[in-house]
Amino acid sequence: MNFDFSEDQEHLRNEARRFLEARCGIGVVRGVLDDGARSHDADLWAALVEQGWTALTLPEEHGGLGMGRTDLCVLAEELGRVLAPVPFASTVYLLAEALMMAGTAAQRERLKDIAAGRCIGCIAIAEGPGEPSPARLAAEVRGGRLHGVKLPVVDGNAATLALVLARNGGQVRLHLADLTDPSVTRAPVDTLDPARDLARIAFDGTPCEPIGDEGLVDRLLDRAAVLIAFEQIGGADRCLETSVEFAKMRYAFGRPIGSQQAIKHKLADMYVNNQIARSNAYYGAWALESGSDELPSAAAAARVAACHAYWYAAREGIQTHGGIGFTWEADQHLHYRRALQLDMTIGSPRAWRDRLFSALEAQADEEL
Amino acid sequence: MNFDFSEDQEHLRNEARRFLEARCGIGVVRGVLDDGARSHDADLWAALVEQGWTALTLPEEHGGLGMGRTDLCVLAEELGRVLAPVPFASTVYLLAEALMMAGTAAQRERLKDIAAGRCIGCIAIAEGPGEPSPARLAAEVRGGRLHGVKLPVVDGNAATLALVLARNGGQVRLHLADLTDPSVTRAPVDTLDPARDLARIAFDGTPCEPIGDEGLVDRLLDRAAVLIAFEQIGGADRCLETSVEFAKMRYAFGRPIGSQQAIKHKLADMYVNNQIARSNAYYGAWALESGSDELPSAAAAARVAACHAYWYAAREGIQTHGGIGFTWEADQHLHYRRALQLDMTIGSPRAWRDRLFSALEAQADEEL
Amino acid sequence: MDFSDTPEEAAYRARAAAFLDAHAADLPRPTGGEMDRLAVARRWQAIKADHGYACITWPREWGGAGGTAMEQVIFRQEEARRGVPIAFFGIGLGLCLPTVIRYAPAEQRERFVGPAIRGEQVWCQLFSEPAAGSDLAGVRTRAVRDGDDWILNGQKLWTSGAHYSDYGLLIARTDPDLPKHKGLTMFWVDLKAPGIEIRPIHQMSGGVEFNEVFFNDVRISDAQRLGEVGEGWKVAIFALMNERVEGGKDRGLPAARIIAIARATPAGDATLADDGAFRAAFADGYVRMRGVSLTRYRTLTAMSRGQTPGPEASIGKLVMASELQELSRRLIEAQGAYGLIDDEALSMADGTVHHDLLHAPGIRIAGGTDEILRNIIAERVLGLPAEPRVDKDIPFSQAPKGI
Amino acid sequence: MDFSDTPEEAAYRARAAAFLDAHAADLPRPTGGEMDRLAVARRWQAIKADHGYACITWPREWGGAGGTAMEQVIFRQEEARRGVPIAFFGIGLGLCLPTVIRYAPAEQRERFVGPAIRGEQVWCQLFSEPAAGSDLAGVRTRAVRDGDDWILNGQKLWTSGAHYSDYGLLIARTDPDLPKHKGLTMFWVDLKAPGIEIRPIHQMSGGVEFNEVFFNDVRISDAQRLGEVGEGWKVAIFALMNERVEGGKDRGLPAARIIAIARATPAGDATLADDGAFRAAFADGYVRMRGVSLTRYRTLTAMSRGQTPGPEASIGKLVMASELQELSRRLIEAQGAYGLIDDEALSMADGTVHHDLLHAPGIRIAGGTDEILRNIIAERVLGLPAEPRVDKDIPFSQAPKGI
């Protein structure tokens, strides 16, 4: 039985944690949070690239290190812990994965740019309020040119290359579009998590090329769901640690508030949620790495559990800290905001609950 | 401002409580619970009739006392407190209300039998698993004769006269059917709450007559929802009182378990739920008594809140009592069972939540 | 059961309405910021004072109308209906001035009561501290006797309105060697006194409603003491008992607004209003929110019958705050990624829902945390026993303390 | 991350499988009630004992196989796969006999260990009492010294299997004037001794899994004492530490079964499987149930790596019990009024869901209530401080007591 990270992976984690402690203190996060003009921390991004993090899972022939998705899960968890203000998920879990899964030989050449830090990715799906649905999609490719407005796009200001969901002939599929093209107009939009980048992007006849088939977007989101679950668990565990620490130190009525059952049981519930999320995420990692047929249900379960855990931990982390936890200067609200950001970045937990049920239905049909 | 029971009504309550304390001790409930052959406690029923409870809201010309629905709410709450094993809701909130709302002069003559205790009612809607829907209804009236199987019917063994939902021509509507007719076959079915009566009833060409229009059943259930909410609140408050009392007396670790926040906050939540339910039920009572247009939303809100409160109180009442609360001899499980019985008796809380949303939508449309 | 006034209440409401119709219509609408709102509120307060509506329940000798709590409620309802400004003076007239009237010498009462009633002077309370939040008696701000004066040093926190207040009620520790509740003394302070520094607190919601107030060797006269030395806790309890029973105000958008939003939010092939999960969750939240509103009518009924409402009113904030948090999250979540957009021009209901989501955590804490409110309900309503107290009978200086 | 055995584990599994295939197939299937199942279980236990599989982790000198905890787990998995009977002996071999081996004199060990391993004698534990549930050290059963004997009086509660057991481990109070944890002593008792009365406890679910055991002037020899007088709490802790780490077994129907039920349940114009509220609620419950199952693999991984799992395994029952309660209620509720029918022939999954709904309240209490489990997680996993204890240092006879 080997249902845990390996010794090598724990080593990777220690390295990553040390690196991020040095390079991604809370000041780095607040630097982006407090400055509306900054989409991300460029120094941190450059340092990650230098460490080979964007190259970790890329094939060696494209300048990558050829490591596994489980290794990437380790980095994801550590990035989530420190609220890293960088477009890592958009670039590595989404763009690079799409290229590796479905890119033509020419398209896959872009992987070299990702490995070298010359390319930042994003995925552009939403076009306004409500979960996106193929039937309502307006963005369209006509004569190889993309027309439409995507709102919002996570990391849309920082990105150089976008995956864009658009109508093309009778199909709704992903396309690669270069965001530096003059036909592209983009601007930041105010977001619940100002430490992360959010954009409105208008395409007005932007050259683009399709990537993968109609099923790619769902397969891609399944994969990203597992990796983002680890970011969420990293954040949720950090909230738990901080809250436990505070509950031991903070006194009321002559004793630590952590000796009161109201706080004690709240933190026990937080721990339980985080463990439930972790176990589901491990199964997701196994399904991702092993190419299991169960990936859709495993990924959805990982995401649903992780969204719940992070939201609860962030929300009750503030409550545990009391008044001080509600101030701008305290770090609790950064997790509250990030929990919401990660909840919504690739489809809300609401949508993923439904997706989980559908995946379990499909599995049940298989079993019969 | 007068949003509470009146002095007269509080007097009625005191009378009712004294009466039920004398006549409906827990032994009476267990007498029905433990004896599969008994549908209800006939002595208690006779005593209620003698007290005029079945006649309370009936018009004076039919042998009634002509009192208001809010007075009936008082009795409902007291009956709920003591888990009364009698077909009161079926007879008074459903059958008598239907006759008063929509009965022809001839049909209304039955009210005299209700006042005098010669008639017990029931409402027969369900025909198997799932919330009933007009589209799936199989019971049918052909040539004035009723055919079909109703499963289950609350109070169906005790009743003499049934309201039966059946297809008739192009319509789905309620019919009055005499259950003593030889074409009727009925038998008890095992139920989660053996202190209350549950039946399977087969109609094989039973004479029947329609009552009211197609809308009657919904209007009737709205009215019953308010009254049953008071039964639920009576039960929920009883669970709270018992649990508070136990938590003060029961010691662990050298102090009352009620001094521990885990128990303390559980009971505070129980209190909050009960108050929320009570306030919604008062509004339902006002809407019922005053004939307000808001009755559909008020009734649904009262029912949703009361179902939640009673279930929580019954469930956590057992938990508060610990091991002893899980024994057959303890009374906690009687409330657990009754909470489920009242949840399901006129449509589940699940269905009523949806109904509440629809009612609020209709109100919002009105307001525009 | 109905919602109508008694004949006496109806008569009072008619009188109040006549007064308001005669005087409130001419008030200017504030156009600028907080200071402008304060100016209008002062003007209105003076008008009310001239006509005996400023402190309805106070005795006439102190400028009140000797009225009932129900009359006060009716007047507030009529004020609210007309949108006149009612903020700024609640803490002063509700909490500080009753304490001054009860504990200050005659000449100070004369000095303060009139200007406060007319809105000419604003008061705030200086009770909470970094280490004295839920545990209010844990105050560490020191007052050290120096001849006929006292020297104050320490920090107060979560002080509403300190930046526009003239005076404050302050509780300080005068003897750390006595047990916690016994070494406290109450004072009033002039907030313009040297050594006082007022800093706004930046909240996670972006708002600035509270202040930190620092005391650095602030010298006050012993004449500013309210009550005996060491009796501060008793005086604080008196002050807080005068706080208006707060049943929790209605929070969040009205149901009709939410339904409109749900109908406008695409979900799958239909809208959010067709989604079973949303319908069910909204229904559950609605009955709780609605239950709190309706519970207030029950409280008013008790008042109308001459009863004094008890601690059961504390269910209001407890329920509303959590429901607001979950409801606003649910609405935002249903927008999909678009829900992340926190821009008044783009997001639903002009950003109200996003504001609620970021504000709700504070509501769950301010004025009694969820946990404290559950304790109050359990102990004061249900009569459950208190927890063992380890710090009650030992010198405060030796009681265990944390951060 | 994978679920495969290490090479050593795979080899052990192959050996175990070969043994089971050779011997388990011939076992008769029990057809009657509990006594019949016990007879088959005894027979299988004897076969295992003959081949060194009865107590895999015990040292060879006591009839064990000197194996690892992981080998024990693998053997159990293979047993479970073949449906052989594994009940009846868990408490004896997991908890009572290790205590006998550790604390009893040599000749008693010889006398008891062999028959217990072979299933010839069954043991139960007699710890819980009416006033000693969550607070296990609150036992009031008295043992009074009388020459070389002790006289037992009192009542034990929640005793699994007392009615078919031969012996029991019993903790009793030998000195009520010492503090709570210090006046306890451990004994073994012969359940056939005069003065012992065993009565079944009728549960709300209708089942009878536990007993009350009454002791009326039961005379036992001082030779039946395990450990020193007054050291009973220490012995009890030793016994309970030997309890197998219980990660909470899987409870409720598998997902595929529930989906089939949902598809078969009409709801509006479609089925329950199309209802957004049910889909969402089921998904939430599923990830929690599934999370507990998967957490067990993490526990096994730790064991496979030679670590000892800690109290974090207590999340299993905590989560499973509540989820089972809500899931079964939700399924029943979706049946509408039909859900009230509690009849195996009529209700879904042959009545399993109804049984779960009536059984779940007991699961939330037995073997550590939800509240105790949260305390354990908070204090022993997260390291949060314990609550103040008012009864620890005073004579038990003077400690406050309730019902």
Side-chain angles (χ1 to χ4, degrees):
Chain A
M1 185 53 60
N2 188 26
F3 188 57
D4 204 341
F5 289 110
S6 68
E7 223 169 278
D8 282 353
Q9 285 158 345
E10 287 305 330
H11 180 72
L12 175 65
R13 176 191 308 285
N14 292 337
E15 292 292 304
R17 187 166 300 189
R18 251 199 304 276
F19 169 76
L20 289 170
E21 272 166 10
R23 306 298 293 259
C24 188
I26 201 70
V28 170
V29 184
R30 287 186 176 271
V32 178
L33 180 82
D34 291 333
D35 183 349
R38 292 173 63 192
S39 62
H40 65 294
D41 190 287
D43 291 344
L44 174 61
W45 182 248
L48 292 184
V49 170
E50 200 183 325
Q51 290 285 308
W53 286 22
T54 58
L56 192 85
T57 46
L58 309 192
E60 292 178 21
E61 73 261 32
H62 295 107
L65 304 174
M67 292 172 70
R69 295 302 175 279
T70 316
D71 303 299
L72 192 54
C73 291
V74 172
L75 299 189
E77 188 178 334
E78 296 306 312
L79 288 164
R81 271 182 78 81
V82 298
L83 299 154
V86 286
F88 194 77
S90 296
T91 306
V92 179
Y93 316 156
L94 288 161
L95 178 59
E97 283 291 328
L99 293 170
M100 286 190 280
M101 286 169 74
T104 61
Q107 286 168 345
R108 289 166 65 92
E109 286 299 308
R110 308 279 205 148
L111 291 170
K112 284 183 190 154
D113 298 332
I114 292 175
R118 289 186 302 267
C119 175
I120 288 175
C122 68
I123 190 164
I125 296 179
E127 299 181 358
E131 287 293 338
S133 103
R136 280 184 281 106
L137 203 78
E140 196 173 3
V141 177
R142 295 191 301 269
R145 303 252 163 187
L146 179 62
H147 301 266
V149 176
K150 291 291 180 179
L151 177 66
V153 181
V154 173
D155 294 320
N157 297 297
T160 57
L161 183 63
L163 289 163
V164 186
L165 193 68
R167 201 172 290 289
N168 192 339
Q171 296 190 318
V172 169
R173 53 199 291 206
L174 288 172
H175 299 77
L176 287 170
D178 194 332
L179 293 175
T180 58
D181 191 86
S183 63
V184 174
T185 322
R186 48 182 169 164
V189 287
D190 289 348
T191 161
L192 282 170
D193 181 7
R196 296 285 282 106
D197 178 19
L198 201 69
R200 177 185 191 280
I201 310 187
F203 299 95
D204 185 15
T206 308
C208 69
E209 46 185 293
I211 177 169
D213 59 17
E214 278 203 300
L216 177 63
V217 63
D218 273 337
R219 293 201 305 279
L220 191 59
L221 293 181
D222 279 345
R223 301 173 77 84
V226 174
L227 293 155
I228 289 174
F230 278 94
E231 290 197 3
Q232 293 169 308
I233 290 165
D237 266 356
R238 187 77 194 117
C239 290
L240 174 61
E241 288 163 22
T242 316
S243 298
V244 166
E245 217 41 55
F246 184 81
K248 288 178 184 169
M249 306 286 288
R250 171 77 175 178
Y251 278 59
F253 308 107
R255 53 184 173 119
I257 62 168
S259 71
Q260 302 270 10
Q261 287 182 340
I263 298 297
K264 196 175 263 194
H265 289 191
K266 188 194 291 298
L267 297 177
D269 287 342
M270 211 184 273
Y271 171 83
V272 168
N273 291 337
N274 290 5
Q275 291 302 312
I276 294 284
R278 182 172 288 281
S279 297
N280 275 291
Y282 282 15
Y283 193 69
W286 168 81
L288 179 60
E289 184 85 64
S290 68
S292 162
D293 284 352
E294 292 188 17
L295 179 60
S297 72
R303 179 154 175 79
V304 169
C307 287
H308 175 69
Y310 199 10
W311 170 246
Y312 184 86
R315 191 185 80 193
E316 299 306 320
I318 295 175
Q319 184 71 12
T320 303
H321 281 75
I324 200 75
F326 185 61
T327 61
W328 188 265
E329 282 67 32
D331 296 334
Q332 277 62 51
H333 74 105
L334 304 187
H335 285 284
Y336 192 82
R337 294 169 183 280
R338 182 58 52 84
L340 292 164
Q341 201 274 343
L342 293 176
D343 262 5
M344 247 87 84
T345 192
I346 53 162
S348 69
R350 190 179 153 276
W352 280 89
R353 267 185 218 109
D354 204 71
R355 199 164 160 143
L356 172 57
F357 196 94
S358 298
L360 291 172
E361 281 187 295
Q363 252 172 249
D365 291 340
E366 280 297 307
E367 284 169 26
L368 298 180
Chain B
M1 185 54 60
N2 186 25
F3 189 57
D4 203 340
F5 290 110
S6 68
E7 222 170 277
D8 282 353
Q9 285 158 345
E10 288 305 330
H11 179 74
L12 175 65
R13 176 192 308 286
N14 292 338
E15 293 292 304
R17 186 166 299 188
R18 251 200 305 276
F19 170 77
L20 289 170
E21 271 166 11
R23 305 299 291 260
C24 187
I26 201 70
V28 170
V29 184
R30 287 186 176 271
V32 179
L33 180 82
D34 291 334
D35 183 347
R38 289 175 63 193
S39 62
H40 66 293
D41 190 287
D43 291 345
L44 174 61
W45 182 249
L48 293 184
V49 170
E50 199 183 326
Q51 289 285 308
W53 287 21
T54 57
L56 191 83
T57 47
L58 309 191
E60 293 179 20
E61 74 260 32
H62 295 106
L65 305 174
M67 290 173 71
R69 297 301 176 280
T70 315
D71 303 300
L72 191 54
C73 291
V74 171
L75 299 189
E77 188 179 335
E78 297 305 312
L79 288 164
R81 271 184 76 82
V82 298
L83 297 155
V86 285
F88 193 76
S90 296
T91 305
V92 179
Y93 317 156
L94 288 160
L95 178 59
E97 283 291 328
L99 293 171
M100 285 189 280
M101 285 170 74
T104 61
Q107 286 168 346
R108 288 165 67 93
E109 288 298 306
R110 308 281 204 145
L111 291 170
K112 286 183 187 151
D113 297 331
I114 292 176
R118 289 186 301 267
C119 175
I120 289 176
C122 68
I123 189 164
I125 298 180
E127 298 181 358
E131 287 293 338
S133 104
R136 280 185 279 107
L137 203 79
E140 197 174 5
V141 177
R142 293 190 300 269
R145 305 247 161 192
L146 179 63
H147 300 267
V149 175
K150 290 291 180 179
L151 176 65
V153 181
V154 173
D155 295 319
N157 297 297
T160 56
L161 182 63
L163 290 163
V164 186
L165 193 69
R167 203 171 290 287
N168 192 339
Q171 295 189 318
V172 169
R173 53 200 289 205
L174 288 171
H175 300 76
L176 286 170
D178 194 330
L179 294 174
T180 58
D181 190 85
S183 63
V184 174
T185 322
R186 48 183 170 165
V189 288
D190 289 348
T191 162
L192 282 170
D193 181 7
R196 295 288 280 105
D197 177 19
L198 202 68
R200 178 186 189 280
I201 309 188
F203 298 95
D204 186 13
T206 307
C208 69
E209 46 185 291
I211 175 169
D213 58 17
E214 277 203 301
L216 176 63
V217 63
D218 273 337
R219 292 200 306 278
L220 191 59
L221 293 182
D222 280 345
R223 301 173 77 83
V226 174
L227 292 156
I228 290 174
F230 279 93
E231 290 197 4
Q232 292 168 309
I233 289 166
D237 267 355
R238 187 77 194 119
C239 290
L240 174 61
E241 289 163 22
T242 315
S243 298
V244 166
E245 215 41 56
F246 184 81
K248 288 178 184 170
M249 307 285 289
R250 171 77 175 176
Y251 278 58
F253 307 107
R255 53 183 173 119
I257 62 169
S259 70
Q260 302 270 10
Q261 287 183 339
I263 298 298
K264 196 175 265 194
H265 289 191
K266 187 194 290 299
L267 297 177
D269 287 341
M270 210 184 271
Y271 171 82
V272 168
N273 290 337
N274 290 4
Q275 291 302 314
I276 294 284
R278 182 171 289 279
S279 297
N280 275 291
Y282 282 15
Y283 193 69
W286 169 80
L288 179 59
E289 184 84 66
S290 68
S292 162
D293 284 352
E294 291 188 18
L295 179 61
S297 72
R303 178 152 176 79
V304 168
C307 287
H308 175 69
Y310 199 10
W311 170 246
Y312 184 86
R315 191 186 81 194
E316 298 307 319
I318 295 174
Q319 184 71 13
T320 302
H321 281 75
I324 201 75
F326 186 62
T327 61
W328 187 267
E329 283 68 30
D331 295 334
Q332 277 62 49
H333 73 106
L334 304 187
H335 284 284
Y336 192 82
R337 294 169 183 280
R338 182 59 51 85
L340 291 164
Q341 201 273 343
L342 293 177
D343 262 5
M344 247 87 85
T345 192
I346 53 163
S348 69
R350 190 180 153 274
W352 280 88
R353 268 184 216 108
D354 205 71
R355 198 163 161 142
L356 172 56
F357 196 93
S358 297
L360 291 172
E361 280 187 296
Q363 254 172 248
D365 290 340
E366 280 297 308
E367 285 169 27
L368 297 180
Chain C
M1 279 202 204
D2 60 63
F3 296 89
S4 53
D5 288 331
T6 64
E8 295 74 25
E9 289 164 4
Y12 185 83
R13 190 182 297 280
R15 282 202 305 282
F19 162 75
L20 283 157
D21 290 339
H23 295 89
D26 299 339
L27 275 184
R29 298 276 143 192
T31 50
E34 189 177 55
M35 285 306 119
D36 187 33
R37 291 203 305 281
L38 176 56
V40 177
R42 280 186 204 272
R43 188 159 150 186
W44 175 236
Q45 190 67 22
I47 295 171
K48 287 198 288 188
D50 288 342
H51 294 80
Y53 287 109
C55 291
I56 292 166
T57 59
W58 287 19
R60 291 181 188 274
E61 61 169 314
W62 291 113
T68 65
M70 196 62 201
E71 288 174 353
Q72 172 78 72
V73 166
I74 289 170
F75 189 82
R76 282 265 187 263
Q77 288 174 341
E78 295 300 313
E79 272 188 306
R81 195 164 296 166
R82 288 160 182 85
V84 295
I86 54 166
F88 298 105
F89 312 114
I91 293 170
L93 299 178
L95 190 152
C96 302
L97 271 297
T99 310
V100 167
I101 291 172
R102 169 78 179 74
Y103 288 101
E107 114 280 345
Q108 288 182 17
R109 295 190 300 225
E110 299 298 339
R111 172 178 159 197
F112 289 129
V113 172
I117 289 183
R118 300 184 60 80
E120 289 157 11
Q121 291 172 359
V122 183
W123 285 67
C124 66
Q125 57 148 302
L126 296 152
F127 289 4
S128 297
E129 296 187 7
S134 292
D135 181 10
L136 193 57
V139 297
R140 298 186 195 174
T141 292
R142 287 282 276 120
V144 176
R145 190 74 188 237
D146 183 34
D148 280 346
D149 294 339
W150 295 84
I151 312 294
L152 303 177
N153 276 287
Q155 179 191 357
K156 292 290 175 177
L157 204 65
W158 310 118
T159 313
S160 303
H163 56 296
Y164 56 69
S165 290
D166 302 285
Y167 299 98
L169 214 58
L170 174 134
I171 188 164
R173 188 160 303 279
T174 41
D175 188 348
D177 295 326
L178 290 175
K180 190 168 173 177
H181 296 79
K182 305 221 166 114
L184 300 169
T185 304
M186 189 72 79
F187 302 92
W188 62 262
V189 294
D190 180 342
L191 287 169
K192 309 293 181 293
I196 296 180
E197 188 191 347
I198 298 169
R199 293 188 205 152
I201 300 175
H202 193 178
Q203 297 166 191
M204 66 164 271
S205 57
V208 181
E209 295 170 49
F210 302 101
N211 301 279
E212 296 180 283
V213 183
F214 293 87
F215 294 83
N216 294 306
D217 290 331
V218 176
R219 178 174 294 268
I220 61 172
S221 156
D222 186 53
Q224 292 175 239
R225 179 162 47 76
L226 296 167
E228 299 302 312
V229 173
E231 299 271 290
W233 185 247
K234 206 182 80 185
V235 180
I237 295 291
F238 174 85
L240 293 169
M241 263 176 41
N242 278 286
E243 231 181 352
R244 192 162 57 91
V245 173
E246 169 64 86
K249 32 181 187 183
D250 283 342
R251 296 192 187 270
L253 297 171
R257 270 310 275 292
I258 295 167
I259 286 170
I261 290 173
R263 286 177 168 183
T265 301
D269 299 332
T271 76
L272 187 60
D274 305 300
D275 177 73
F278 181 79
R279 292 169 70 93
F282 176 72
D284 277 332
Y286 171 83
V287 301
R288 293 182 74 77
M289 291 276 211
R290 178 85 179 142
V292 171
S293 308
L294 292 168
T295 300
R296 270 202 303 277
Y297 290 113
R298 292 171 52 208
T299 305
L300 291 180
T301 301
M303 289 170 68
S304 173
R305 293 179 183 178
Q307 295 153 22
T308 309
E312 59 275 8
S314 41
I315 76 169
K317 188 178 84 78
L318 175 62
V319 173
M320 285 280 187
S322 290
E323 291 301 332
L324 183 72
Q325 187 167 35
E326 286 311 310
L327 171 66
S328 52
R329 176 167 187 266
R330 200 170 292 129
L331 283 171
I332 286 170
E333 190 192 346
Q335 311 291 310
Y338 192 87
L340 282 175
I341 302 176
D342 186 14
D343 178 320
E344 290 182 13
L346 294 174
S347 52
M348 58 196 144
D350 305 324
T352 309
V353 183
H354 286 72
H355 174 264
D356 286 345
L357 182 61
L358 293 177
H359 204 65
I363 308 174
R364 287 182 58 201
I365 294 164
T369 63
D370 290 359
E371 292 74 19
I372 291 290
L373 294 179
R374 285 198 180 89
N375 267 2
I376 289 173
I377 292 168
E379 294 177 12
R380 286 165 57 190
V381 182
L382 302 179
L384 289 165
E387 283 159 279
R389 285 291 294 270
V390 296
D391 65 338
K392 230 174 165 169
D393 304 317
I394 55 172
F396 182 72
S397 53
Q398 287 164 40
K401 291 181 194 68
I403 55 172
Chain D
M1 288 210 193
D2 60 62
F3 296 89
S4 54
D5 289 332
T6 63
E8 296 74 28
E9 289 164 4
Y12 184 84
R13 190 183 297 279
R15 282 204 304 283
F19 161 76
L20 282 158
D21 291 339
H23 295 89
D26 300 339
L27 275 184
R29 299 276 144 191
T31 50
E34 188 177 57
M35 286 305 121
D36 187 32
R37 291 203 305 281
L38 176 57
V40 177
R42 281 185 202 274
R43 189 159 150 188
W44 175 237
Q45 191 66 21
I47 296 171
K48 288 198 288 188
D50 288 342
H51 293 80
Y53 288 109
C55 293
I56 291 167
T57 59
W58 287 20
R60 289 178 190 276
E61 61 170 312
W62 292 113
T68 66
M70 196 63 202
E71 289 174 353
Q72 172 78 71
V73 167
I74 289 169
F75 189 83
R76 282 266 188 262
Q77 290 173 339
E78 295 300 314
E79 273 189 306
R81 195 163 295 165
R82 288 160 182 85
V84 296
I86 54 166
F88 299 105
F89 312 116
I91 292 170
L93 298 178
L95 190 152
C96 302
L97 270 298
T99 310
V100 167
I101 292 173
R102 168 76 180 73
Y103 288 101
E107 115 279 345
Q108 289 182 16
R109 296 189 301 226
E110 302 295 341
R111 172 179 159 197
F112 288 128
V113 173
I117 289 183
R118 299 185 60 80
E120 290 159 8
Q121 291 172 358
V122 184
W123 286 67
C124 65
Q125 57 146 303
L126 297 151
F127 290 2
S128 298
E129 296 188 5
S134 292
D135 181 10
L136 193 56
V139 297
R140 298 187 194 173
T141 292
R142 287 282 276 121
V144 177
R145 190 74 188 238
D146 182 35
D148 282 345
D149 294 340
W150 295 85
I151 311 295
L152 303 177
N153 276 289
Q155 178 190 359
K156 293 289 176 178
L157 204 65
W158 309 120
T159 313
S160 304
H163 57 295
Y164 55 69
S165 289
D166 302 286
Y167 300 98
L169 215 58
L170 174 132
I171 188 164
R173 188 159 304 276
T174 42
D175 189 346
D177 295 326
L178 290 175
K180 191 166 170 179
H181 295 80
K182 305 218 165 118
L184 299 168
T185 304
M186 188 72 79
F187 302 92
W188 62 261
V189 295
D190 180 341
L191 288 170
K192 310 291 181 297
I196 296 181
E197 189 191 346
I198 298 170
R199 294 187 205 151
I201 299 175
H202 192 180
Q203 299 166 192
M204 66 165 270
S205 57
V208 181
E209 294 169 50
F210 303 100
N211 302 278
E212 296 179 283
V213 183
F214 294 86
F215 294 83
N216 295 306
D217 290 330
V218 176
R219 178 173 293 271
I220 61 171
S221 157
D222 185 54
Q224 292 175 236
R225 180 162 46 76
L226 297 167
E228 299 303 311
V229 172
E231 299 271 289
W233 185 246
K234 205 181 81 182
V235 181
I237 295 291
F238 174 86
L240 293 169
M241 264 177 38
N242 279 286
E243 231 181 351
R244 192 164 57 90
V245 174
E246 169 65 85
K249 29 180 189 182
D250 282 342
R251 297 193 185 269
L253 298 172
R257 267 312 273 295
I258 295 167
I259 287 170
I261 290 173
R263 286 176 167 183
T265 301
D269 299 332
T271 76
L272 188 60
D274 305 298
D275 177 73
F278 182 78
R279 292 169 70 93
F282 177 71
D284 277 332
Y286 171 83
V287 302
R288 293 183 73 78
M289 291 276 211
R290 177 84 179 143
V292 171
S293 308
L294 291 168
T295 300
R296 271 202 302 278
Y297 290 114
R298 291 170 53 205
T299 305
L300 291 180
T301 301
M303 289 170 68
S304 175
R305 292 178 182 178
Q307 296 153 20
T308 309
E312 58 275 7
S314 39
I315 76 169
K317 188 178 84 76
L318 175 62
V319 173
M320 285 281 188
S322 290
E323 292 299 332
L324 184 71
Q325 189 166 33
E326 287 310 310
L327 172 66
S328 51
R329 174 166 187 266
R330 201 170 290 130
L331 283 171
I332 286 169
E333 191 193 346
Q335 310 292 310
Y338 192 86
L340 282 175
I341 302 175
D342 186 15
D343 177 320
E344 289 183 14
L346 294 174
S347 52
M348 59 196 143
D350 305 324
T352 309
V353 183
H354 286 72
H355 175 264
D356 286 346
L357 182 61
L358 293 176
H359 205 63
I363 308 175
R364 288 182 58 200
I365 294 165
T369 62
D370 290 358
E371 291 74 20
I372 291 290
L373 294 178
R374 286 198 178 90
N375 267 0
I376 289 172
I377 292 168
E379 294 177 13
R380 287 164 58 190
V381 182
L382 301 178
L384 289 165
E387 282 157 282
R389 286 292 295 270
V390 296
D391 65 338
K392 230 173 166 171
D393 303 316
I394 55 173
F396 182 73
S397 53
Q398 287 163 39
K401 293 179 194 66
I403 55 172

